């Protein structure tokens, strides 16, 4: 199965989960789960929220930021992967100077 994010329309979400600024996303939802290309601009964030549906797997492509998962801070940069297990509470914050770009997989 191929997912071509070049063919998916992007949406802008203001104050996602109570976070700061905007989050830009392209999402494919199918029988296998949710697959999301996400851009968090500088000084923006996804707010603290409980991961209800399943594990949230986030592979960082570019930029810098931090994830806070169950109170533990993790440094994000290209090549790292933040995993928030189902039932955990997390947020992702772009505290860098460029866009934080990552791909998220939430399997079914």
């Amino acid at each position: 199965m191929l997912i071509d994010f070049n063919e998916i329309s992007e949406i802008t979400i203001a104050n996602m989960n109570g976070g700061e600024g905007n989050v830009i996303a392209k999402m494919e939802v199918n029988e296998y789960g949710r697959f999301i290309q996400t851009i968090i601009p500088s000084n923006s964030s996804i707010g603290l929220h409980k991961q209800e549906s399943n594990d949230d797997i986030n592979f960082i492509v570019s930029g810098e930021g931090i994830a806070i998962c169950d109170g533990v801070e993790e440094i994000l940069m290209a090549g790292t992967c933040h995993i928030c297990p189902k039932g955990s509470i997390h947020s992702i914050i772009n505290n860098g100077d460029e866009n934080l770009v990552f791909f998220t997989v939430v399997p079914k």
Side-chain angles (χ1 to χ4, degrees):
M1 175 179 67
L2 175 70
I3 299 172
D4 186 350
F5 287 97
N6 298 307
E7 299 294 323
I8 299 173
S9 299
E10 71 180 27
I11 58 171
T12 300
I13 305 162
N15 308 107
M16 185 172 181
N17 293 320
E20 299 293 323
N22 293 319
V23 172
I24 302 157
K26 294 182 177 186
M27 185 182 319
E28 164 77 15
V29 179
N30 60 39
E31 65 271 22
Y32 302 107
R34 293 190 312 262
F35 304 85
I36 310 159
Q37 176 185 350
T38 306
I39 299 171
I40 303 178
S42 184
N43 299 312
S44 294
S45 64
I46 297 173
L48 196 62
H49 64 283
K50 186 172 185 178
Q51 192 59 36
E52 300 279 0
S53 60
N54 212 333
D55 298 346
D56 192 38
I57 304 163
N58 304 278
F59 179 77
I60 310 303
V61 175
S62 64
E64 298 176 354
I66 59 171
I68 301 171
C69 188
D70 294 332
V72 177
E73 187 173 302
E74 303 169 348
I75 297 173
L76 304 176
M77 65 186 80
T80 62
C81 186
H82 161 64
I83 300 170
C84 178
K86 179 180 179 180
S88 290
I89 297 171
H90 76 139
S91 67
I92 299 177
I93 303 159
N94 181 348
N95 60 354
D97 295 329
E98 62 183 70
N99 288 341
L100 179 61
V101 180
F102 56 97
F103 285 93
T104 301
V105 175
V106 182
K108 283 201 173 181

